[in-house]
Amino acid sequence: MLAVAVLAAGKGTRMKSALPKVLQPLAGATLVERVLASCQNLQPQRQLLIVGHQAERVEQALAGGGGSCPLEFVLQQPQNGTGHAVQQLLEPLAGFEGELLVLNGDVPLLREQTITDLLEQHRSSGAAVTLLTARLADPTGYGRVFADASGAVSAIVEHRDCSEAQRANDLINAGIYCFNWKQLAAVLPQLSTDNDQGELYLTDTVAMLRPAMHLEVPDADEINGINDRLQLAQCEAVIQERLRRHWMAEGVTFVDPASCTLSDGTRFGRDVVVEPQCHFRGTAEIGDGCRIGPGTLIDNSRLGERVEVLYSVVREAVVAADCAIGPYAQLRPGAQLAQGCRVGNFVEIKQARIGAGSKVNHLSYIGDADLGENVNVGAGTITANYDGVNKHRTVIGAGSKTGANSVLVAPIQLGANVTVGAGSTLTKDVPAGALALGRAKQLVKENWQAGS
Ligand code: UD1
Ligand code: CA
């Protein structure tokens, strides 16, 4: 039997944030979501989350999470240290037999394989506790692990409690432990607050448990703990590098990889070219042969094959194959482009379906609209969708053309193959095949000169 406990009750004082530390976002997922995700393949029987500081907010953020095994929230109030946090499990885990995997909620880069290795080593060695360690060039801030050549650990001493000589030890505690629960439960009540912070330290149990073993991770990046914004940024950089390397290996070209950011939910087809300064957020699906950027943000959107997007923002939009977007276009939520559309510079599209082959090339706002196929929207055409209280729809039939600077005051319907004269303001429906003009007649007075 395996139980997983994530320590997520701390305030994260050093972040200086209104948000609890474990809810800080990292490449689109919170720290605690990442920690939980890293142990899902172990299929634990129990998953306990220790919450305290802004407990309700953390619970809300994780409601329904946890994969196949439901999350049990355990309240730690007040937060008197990591040992005190794990003491709160004595009641919910009374009678539990098996291993307890303890994960610090602020160590988000662990690979699933590393945790699997830790559990396997723990089970095969029969240790009372096995913890993950790493050797760091700069171990400042971490607990130091004192171990012999066989991997047996005698104690962990927190950085602030270390003597000068102890600080020279570069073997650090990652904050990830596999305990035999019964043995841990027997020593938990013996913890004391005899340390620099006056807290109960989980790390002190290690000196009370025998045998205590450690497993050193070769890639020290994995065990980065996040206590402040600098470490948050460093972890973000590690995740971004992992994501870019993954997608380059899958056949994506990045012209300037370091200038682009991805999310876990980004998916690329083959032979996509990503130019400099492009950012992908949420779930973004980019089809084969797309060319993105430079200077583009794609957020929660789906692009078909061979789409080109240049200096533009695409949010919660769906774009079919062979469309060209930008430069300087904005697709807002609910924009749906059928195959082969062209959306040009300074065009904004929101909650609108644009039929195949249609063009909205310059300076337009198309909102709450349905455009048929092969519509040509003239420069500066605006769908006036808002009367100050409600939004109304505009429908433009296939093959229609609007002249430059047309205003279509919704609700309004234009049939197929309508032509709208330049500068028109239309307030009434137009039947198929008609020419609609809605502008003042031009007046010319010859031989007119002001003041004469
Ligand atoms: C801890 C370890 C240190 C290790 C480091 C690795 C202890 C005493 N020290 O130090 O050896 O090198 O992690 O990153 O454990 N938490 C609670 N309740 C509390 C206090 C903390 O749930 O009362 C949670 C925090 O939300 C956080 C985690 O425990 O997710 C670690 O706490 P933190 O204060 O960051 O410990 P460190 O000083 O980093
Ligand atoms: Ca920490």
Side-chain angles (χ1 to χ4, degrees):
M1 294 273 269
L2 175 70
V4 170
V6 179
L7 308 189
K11 182 174 171 197
T13 313
R14 289 165 279 181
M15 296 298 296
K16 302 197 173 137
S17 172
L19 203 61
K21 178 164 69 176
V22 294
L23 294 188
Q24 294 287 341
L26 202 55
T30 62
L31 299 190
V32 65
E33 281 170 335
R34 289 187 174 278
V35 171
L36 282 167
S38 65
C39 61
Q40 287 316 304
N41 68 339
L42 299 177
Q43 298 180 318
Q45 275 78 38
R46 305 275 300 268
Q47 288 192 93
L48 303 107
L49 209 86
I50 298 163
V51 291
H53 177 70
Q54 295 196 39
E56 277 163 38
R57 197 160 171 187
V58 177
E59 286 184 39
Q60 252 171 23
L62 289 170
S68 49
C69 169
L71 287 178
E72 301 170 52
F73 294 98
V74 179
L75 194 63
Q76 182 201 9
Q77 209 67 277
Q79 294 85 47
N80 200 15
T82 49
H84 181 243
V86 177
Q87 281 179 348
Q88 312 310 308
L89 300 176
L90 285 167
E91 209 181 289
L93 285 182
F96 175 80
E97 293 197 15
E99 293 90 18
L100 174 69
L101 182 68
V102 175
L103 306 169
N104 270 7
D106 63 350
V107 182
L109 300 185
L110 278 175
R111 290 199 170 86
E112 289 187 350
Q113 189 56 47
T114 305
I115 301 185
T116 309
D117 293 347
L118 176 72
L119 189 62
E120 269 170 17
Q121 179 185 318
H122 179 80
R123 283 178 172 159
S124 63
S125 75
V129 57
T130 311
L131 53 117
L132 275 188
T133 56
R135 291 199 184 273
L136 297 188
D138 178 12
T140 309
Y142 289 92
R144 305 299 203 282
V145 177
F146 295 88
D148 68 17
S150 74
V153 176
S154 54
I156 303 176
V157 184
E158 288 307 294
H159 178 88
R160 54 205 302 166
D161 297 307
C162 278
S163 66
E164 207 56 45
Q166 286 174 317
R167 277 188 191 168
N169 177 3
D170 64 351
L171 188 68
I172 64 95
N173 169 29
I176 310 298
Y177 322 77
C178 193
F179 290 99
N180 174 298
W181 167 247
K182 275 195 150 170
Q183 286 170 279
L184 176 65
V187 301
L188 273 176
Q190 298 165 25
L191 289 175
S192 88
T193 56
D194 183 18
N195 54 56
D196 188 57
Q197 290 194 94
E199 290 186 347
L200 297 170
Y201 285 170
L202 179 62
T203 44
D204 287 347
T205 62
V206 169
M208 306 174 188
L209 294 167
R210 288 290 170 269
M213 304 294 290
H214 76 102
L215 174 66
E216 194 181 322
V217 292
D219 176 8
D221 274 348
E222 271 191 65
I223 54 82
N224 278 342
I226 296 182
N227 300 308
D228 55 31
R229 307 267 181 171
L230 176 65
Q231 288 168 324
L232 188 69
Q234 287 164 340
C235 283
E236 180 80 36
V238 172
I239 293 186
Q240 291 301 337
E241 185 63 18
R242 281 185 189 174
L243 288 168
R244 289 185 299 249
R245 277 174 188 266
H246 169 81
W247 286 110
M248 285 189 262
E250 292 294 314
V252 177
T253 294
F254 283 88
V255 175
D256 179 13
S259 73
C260 298
T261 59
L262 313 182
S263 68
D264 288 334
T266 313
R267 300 277 175 278
F268 293 99
R270 294 252 295 258
D271 293 316
V272 172
V273 176
V274 181
E275 301 256 14
Q277 297 288 356
C278 290
H279 306 282
F280 301 85
R281 296 191 188 150
T283 51
E285 280 177 41
I286 314 299
D288 292 351
C290 283
R291 187 168 198 103
I292 312 296
T296 290
L297 170 66
I298 309 243
D299 184 0
N300 277 312
S301 295
R302 223 165 58 227
L303 274 54
E305 297 173 1
R306 299 174 300 278
V307 171
E308 299 198 357
V309 189
L310 186 59
Y311 288 113
S312 291
V313 174
V314 178
R315 273 213 160 100
E316 288 170 47
V318 179
V319 178
D322 302 308
C323 288
I325 297 164
Y328 315 116
Q330 178 173 208
L331 301 190
R332 291 174 48 204
Q336 292 180 40
L337 273 50
Q339 187 161 3
C341 288
R342 169 94 189 92
V343 173
N345 38 200
F346 307 107
V347 170
E348 174 181 350
I349 296 184
K350 182 216 77 169
Q351 289 292 349
R353 283 194 295 266
I354 313 292
S358 291
K359 296 187 174 72
V360 192
N361 269 335
H362 334 265
L363 304 160
S364 281
Y365 171 67
I366 304 294
D368 301 302
D370 289 284
L371 275 57
E373 296 181 359
N374 298 313
V375 169
N376 195 337
V377 176
T381 296
I382 304 290
T383 56
N385 59 331
Y386 188 46
D387 60 13
V389 181
N390 294 307
K391 302 270 171 75
H392 302 283
R393 290 199 82 78
T394 299
V395 177
I396 305 179
S400 292
K401 296 181 176 57
T402 67
N405 215 24
S406 307
V407 179
L408 308 175
V409 182
I412 188 166
Q413 297 204 18
L414 278 53
N417 301 311
V418 161
T419 303
V420 177
S424 293
T425 297
L426 301 187
T427 55
K428 295 196 191 87
D429 291 353
V430 181
L435 166 70
L437 294 167
R439 62 193 189 208
K441 260 199 179 142
Q442 182 170 331
L443 209 60
V444 176
K445 301 199 175 181
E446 290 189 24
N447 301 321
W448 169 272
Q449 204 179 340
S452 67

